[in-house]
Amino acid sequence: MNNILNLRNIGIIAHVDAGKTTTTERILFYSGVSHKIGEVHHGNTVTDWMKQEQERGITITSASVTIYWKINNIKYTINVIDTPGHVDFTIEVERSLRILDGAVIIICASSGIQPQTETVWFQSQKYKIPKILFVNKMDRIGANYKNCIENIKNKFNCTLAPLNFNIGSENNFIGFIDLLEMKLNIWKNNILYIENISNEYLDISNFYRNYLLEVISNNDEEFLTKYINNDFNLLDIKNSIRNLVINNKIIPIMCGSSLKNKGIEFLLNNICDFLPSPINIGIKGCNDNTFNLINSVKFLSLLFKIYNDPFLGSLSFIRIYSGSIKSGDIIYNSTKKIKEKIFRIIRMFANSKKDINKAYCGDIVVLIGLKESSTGDTLCSLNENIQLEKINIPIPVISISIEPVFKIDQEKLLTIIQKICKEDPSLILTNNNLTGETIISGMGELHLEIIVDRINRDYNLKTKTSKPQVSYKESIKKIVIQEGKYIKQSGGKGQYGHVFLKLEPISFEKEENFIFKSEIIGGSIPKEYIPSIEKGVIQQLNQGIILGYPVIKIKICLLDGSFHSVDSSEYAFKAAASIAIKEGLKKANSYVLEPIMKVEINVPNEYLGIVVGDINKKRGTITNVIDYNNFKVINSFLPLRELFGYSTELRSNTKGRANYNMEFHNYDELPNYIVEQIIKNN
């Protein structure tokens, strides 16, 4: 149990380009796990191992590494997960936070709070993750630690406990005052010197030290008593901060510069001192309140990620909440009610792997051999039925169509996409039955661009992509009675079919899209030919006369007709019905319908005017605007045609701070000028 007390499962989360991967690289180096510091701009970092990550200089997939850190001869094990900062890969942050015990949120000292900072902050709040803030890039132009502290307090309404304050900033950032030990940490020629605080910094150090103690006292009554009586030591301060952090009452904040290697050891010390062990957090989202992490020997874990390795097959990343497992064990998937066998257990170090024989409570490891299990499944001991809360999967907001360059590869393409969908639950594969397109839907254009790039390069399959076609429909405006004849005589048995059909529109208030009714009286057309006439009607209605899309909201009545005792046939009446429909549609004022989406947009107050103006440009209709404290919710109806690429456009207009979701509402008439454009383009 001592080992578990000294275990930390943490995530590094932040806005894109705040320095997550750079910080992780320094953590690996200073802990002795790697012997060379990788740089994002050189494409040689440990955690950004995918080709796509190295080329773009961004994190795409969360990577897990295990490091060891010693404080006062106590050895701590830290599982670090480096997560993406780009909003398109928010699923990686979501599922990582679901299984982590603590987080380090990195904030750029010059840029301050950025859009994705807000997103990861609220994600961490949702899962009640204890956290530490690291204000990075103190060497950058415009860096201001004090402003960052004030902005964070005001923006997120939280209590911050500064653990250090900076000596200089931008090019003059030379170190900081450690407010816990009351020591000066200063770097000279890239070497850290820990010195007593000089008279120059003594007054300001005492000011910030007293501020820190007051923050702790205001939130911890036990420490308050000691503080009033001046009867406390460093251990009392650290224990109080730790308890307050674990209970989410305060958030420690510190500054440094990862690129310049300043403040990493201080950050690691604080991770070990203040972030919780698995025992402090317990089992999150468990449906069995009697299940105890400490006393239970039963195995319980959550599968939070799947990755398809080209050599090992499916790798299942799990967080073990209790008990232990070893290679060869048979476990129970309580979500899918199936048994699975573990062939191998490995510990991941980014993309390199190390086999282990056994894994214990608190570990984050990878299982090889699971066949049916997927992201969010609960894995436990046999004969147990414990359920952990599933991972929240965000709804895709953008789609493209994809097809192989060579038609023969269509089946291979579908197999590959299905594999990737199992890895990435925020990617959805669908097939458009009307256009025959294979559609993939994801979180943004970059997300889909990466997926297509992986298919082309990792799986060596050439593809071509395009925007999906809008599934238009056609209908009619007026009632028409139309005759249809199909008569052929060529010596011997001929063909004879003759019908009168009435075409009339159905109100959009009714549920039916198509009605066929026979009003034949007196046997002018034998009953056995009526089903063929209906088939002919349906076949022709599948292809309208304007753009060739299906005709809906139409009622067809068979009024009359005639037959020939020898030449009439099912084929002839089917053909006659098709002719009548085709001609009748021309006279019935056919028009094109487009899908209208119900769209909900969450937007900060300052961008309301821009978003409303954009909705009007897109032929949208706003139904209402709901006012919240610092943002608005716009409910509107927008044509699907105008929403392709809207995710990127909305983020661009609002600096990434707005988001939206949509669902199908109904069909409405497409303006004639757009119909003419489509005909011209085709």
Side-chain angles (χ1 to χ4, degrees):
M1 198 55 67
N2 286 334
N3 288 334
I4 299 177
L5 284 170
N6 298 334
L7 177 64
R8 304 288 181 267
N9 290 315
I10 67 156
I12 310 287
I13 58 177
H15 184 85
V16 65
D17 201 34
K20 294 179 303 302
T21 302
T22 303
T23 304
T24 306
E25 283 298 313
R26 271 62 185 176
I27 288 173
L28 296 178
F29 179 75
Y30 282 100
S31 63
V33 172
S34 68
H35 304 291
K36 181 186 174 185
I37 298 176
E39 301 290 0
V40 173
H41 51 273
H42 292 155
N44 61 352
T45 57
V46 172
T47 52
D48 283 356
W49 53 270
M50 290 174 67
K51 292 175 193 172
Q52 291 83 359
E53 292 177 312
Q54 292 166 357
E55 288 170 359
R56 291 167 175 81
I58 59 169
T59 304
I60 292 168
T61 183
S62 53
S64 175
V65 290
T66 302
I67 66 155
Y68 304 96
W69 189 249
K70 266 191 177 182
I71 303 177
N72 299 329
N73 292 321
I74 298 173
K75 187 179 180 182
Y76 291 88
T77 302
I78 308 174
N79 292 318
V80 182
I81 293 184
D82 178 27
T83 63
H86 199 286
V87 67
D88 282 15
F89 309 106
T90 188
I91 177 65
E92 293 290 335
V93 182
E94 186 79 25
R95 59 183 171 187
S96 296
L97 288 177
R98 173 65 183 83
I99 54 91
L100 293 173
D101 300 323
V104 176
I105 297 183
I106 297 180
I107 294 171
C108 176
S110 60
S111 302
I113 299 168
Q114 295 167 285
Q116 190 65 5
T117 313
E118 295 179 42
T119 305
V120 298
W121 182 282
F122 292 126
Q123 283 175 314
S124 70
Q125 291 293 87
K126 181 172 72 175
Y127 291 114
K128 297 178 181 175
I129 304 267
K131 46 193 165 283
I132 287 175
L133 299 183
F134 182 62
V135 178
N136 189 26
K137 302 190 178 183
M138 283 300 298
D139 58 308
R140 204 181 225 191
I141 293 172
N144 193 320
Y145 182 42
K146 192 176 178 181
N147 273 3
C148 281
I149 292 174
E150 290 304 314
N151 289 339
I152 292 164
K153 283 199 292 189
N154 294 334
K155 181 74 176 177
F156 300 120
N157 191 26
C158 59
T159 304
L160 297 183
L163 302 182
N164 67 2
F165 77 89
N166 57 300
I167 305 297
S169 61
E170 301 180 356
N171 290 334
N172 299 317
F173 177 63
I174 57 170
F176 54 78
I177 302 290
D178 177 352
L179 296 173
L180 297 169
E181 303 277 355
M182 286 301 279
K183 294 286 184 181
L184 174 62
N185 289 238
I186 195 162
W187 279 261
K188 299 173 184 175
N189 297 320
N190 295 322
I191 298 172
L192 171 62
Y193 295 89
I194 299 177
E195 304 171 353
N196 291 326
I197 300 171
S198 61
N199 291 332
E200 181 186 358
Y201 300 115
L202 199 55
D203 287 344
I204 194 168
S205 298
N206 288 328
F207 173 80
Y208 281 113
R209 164 83 165 191
N210 289 331
Y211 176 77
L212 172 64
L213 295 176
E214 285 173 13
V215 167
I216 301 169
S217 303
N218 289 337
N219 292 277
D220 184 346
E221 289 186 8
E222 188 178 334
F223 182 80
L224 175 61
T225 306
K226 293 179 180 180
Y227 180 59
I228 292 170
N229 297 323
N230 199 24
D231 180 25
F232 63 91
N233 56 30
L234 179 61
L235 187 61
D236 291 327
I237 296 172
K238 287 189 173 181
N239 287 340
S240 179
I241 293 174
R242 179 175 176 79
N243 289 331
L244 292 172
V245 170
I246 290 170
N247 291 303
N248 281 299
K249 290 186 176 178
I250 67 168
I251 301 168
I253 185 168
M254 67 205 73
C255 65
S257 171
S258 297
L259 188 65
K260 302 294 183 184
N261 308 318
K262 295 174 183 175
I264 301 302
E265 302 98 322
F266 187 66
L267 174 61
L268 280 166
N269 288 341
N270 290 322
I271 286 170
C272 297
D273 284 340
F274 304 132
L275 287 182
S277 73
I279 287 175
N280 299 129
I281 296 298
I283 302 171
K284 292 187 286 187
C286 182
N287 70 342
D288 186 349
N289 295 327
T290 63
F291 199 86
N292 190 300
L293 181 145
I294 298 172
N295 298 327
S296 178
V297 293
K298 297 172 184 174
F299 170 66
L300 176 65
S301 70
L302 184 73
L303 197 164
F304 69 95
K305 180 175 176 174
I306 288 175
Y307 177 73
N308 286 298
D309 187 276
F311 305 107
L312 298 175
S314 182
L315 306 181
S316 303
F317 289 70
I318 66 163
R319 157 73 195 269
I320 302 176
Y321 284 100
S322 76
S324 62
I325 47 166
K326 60 183 186 296
S327 299
D329 280 356
I330 295 174
I331 55 176
Y332 182 61
N333 182 327
S334 60
T335 306
K336 290 193 168 64
K337 314 295 182 192
I338 55 171
K339 293 178 182 178
E340 295 268 29
K341 184 171 182 180
I342 303 167
F343 291 115
R344 287 169 66 188
I345 305 172
I346 57 178
R347 196 180 294 283
M348 292 295 289
F349 182 77
N351 68 328
S352 60
K353 310 161 187 72
K354 180 185 176 183
D355 273 279
I356 57 175
N357 295 322
K358 200 169 184 180
Y360 301 90
C361 173
D363 279 344
I364 294 174
V365 293
V366 173
L367 306 184
I368 298 176
L370 307 189
K371 303 293 183 188
E372 303 296 328
S373 299
S374 54
T375 299
D377 287 357
T378 302
L379 305 175
C380 56
S381 302
L382 294 174
N383 303 319
E384 292 294 331
N385 193 27
I386 300 165
Q387 287 279 325
L388 293 172
E389 183 184 342
K390 287 181 76 71
I391 294 166
N392 183 43
I393 309 297
I395 300 167
V397 295
I398 191 168
S399 305
I400 59 169
S401 66
I402 184 169
E403 60 179 316
V405 171
F406 305 106
K407 287 289 181 188
I408 195 171
D409 292 327
Q410 181 65 30
E411 196 171 323
K412 184 182 176 184
L413 174 66
L414 291 175
T415 305
I416 291 167
I417 297 174
Q418 284 164 357
K419 272 187 184 179
I420 297 174
C421 285
K422 194 172 182 184
E423 282 182 27
D424 182 355
S426 65
L427 183 74
I428 304 292
L429 168 67
T430 54
N431 186 63
N432 189 325
N433 294 324
L434 296 171
T435 62
E437 292 174 303
T438 300
I439 308 290
I440 52 173
S441 306
M443 298 306 299
E445 289 181 17
L446 179 61
H447 183 203
L448 296 179
E449 180 191 318
I450 298 292
I451 297 297
V452 172
D453 192 51
R454 285 187 61 194
I455 294 168
N456 293 344
R457 293 167 63 179
D458 299 357
Y459 294 94
N460 198 26
L461 180 66
K462 292 182 179 177
T463 60
K464 50 186 179 181
T465 59
S466 63
K467 286 183 181 178
Q469 298 173 26
V470 178
S471 181
Y472 295 111
K473 298 286 188 282
E474 296 183 23
S475 192
I476 59 171
K477 290 184 176 177
K478 72 175 188 179
I479 298 172
V480 168
I481 295 174
Q482 180 63 44
E483 181 184 24
K485 282 185 180 180
Y486 183 76
I487 300 171
K488 284 195 175 181
Q489 297 291 341
S490 55
K493 188 173 178 0
Q495 295 285 358
Y496 186 93
H498 178 216
V499 295
F500 283 94
L501 300 177
K502 182 170 81 169
L503 293 71
E504 60 180 294
I506 297 174
S507 168
F508 275 83
E509 295 172 1
K510 295 184 179 178
E511 290 185 6
E512 295 89 356
N513 281 322
F514 169 69
I515 298 170
F516 178 81
K517 185 179 179 183
S518 172
E519 295 181 358
I520 295 292
I521 298 170
S524 57
I525 298 176
K527 286 183 180 178
E528 61 264 28
Y529 294 133
I530 291 174
S532 300
I533 294 168
E534 185 176 359
K535 282 180 187 175
V537 168
I538 293 170
Q539 184 177 316
Q540 189 58 48
L541 289 178
N542 280 333
Q543 191 169 13
I545 59 163
I546 303 173
L547 297 177
Y549 287 97
V551 181
I552 62 168
K553 294 296 176 185
I554 187 168
K555 180 180 179 181
I556 307 295
C557 292
L558 175 58
L559 301 178
D560 201 1
S562 61
F563 74 102
H564 190 280
S565 57
V566 177
D567 292 345
S568 286
S569 65
E570 290 181 359
Y571 174 78
F573 274 105
K574 183 180 174 184
S578 292
I579 291 166
I581 292 295
K582 192 171 184 178
E583 293 302 315
L585 290 174
K586 293 176 184 176
K587 300 174 183 176
N589 286 5
S590 286
Y591 66 103
V592 179
L593 292 163
E594 64 175 338
I596 303 296
M597 311 302 288
K598 184 180 180 182
V599 182
E600 181 187 86
I601 305 169
N602 298 293
V603 59
N605 291 341
E606 58 263 42
Y607 298 106
L608 179 65
I610 295 171
V611 174
V612 167
D614 195 44
I615 290 171
N616 291 331
K617 277 187 206 169
K618 295 182 182 300
R619 302 185 287 121
T621 305
I622 295 171
T623 54
N624 61 42
V625 178
I626 302 169
D627 189 14
Y628 289 93
N629 285 338
N630 53 1
F631 72 98
K632 300 278 196 297
V633 175
I634 305 170
N635 290 302
S636 59
F637 297 117
L638 279 156
L640 178 60
R641 175 187 174 86
E642 306 292 340
L643 289 170
F644 291 125
Y646 186 57
S647 175
T648 304
E649 197 178 325
L650 182 64
R651 287 174 193 161
S652 175
N653 286 339
T654 62
K655 296 184 180 177
R657 294 177 62 194
N659 60 73
Y660 79 102
N661 58 67
M662 64 180 182
E663 61 184 40
F664 174 76
H665 176 60
N666 63 9
Y667 280 95
D668 200 4
E669 185 172 359
L670 183 68
N672 282 331
Y673 74 91
I674 296 178
V675 174
E676 288 166 10
Q677 283 177 17
I678 295 170
I679 293 170
K680 187 178 178 182
N681 293 337
N682 289 340

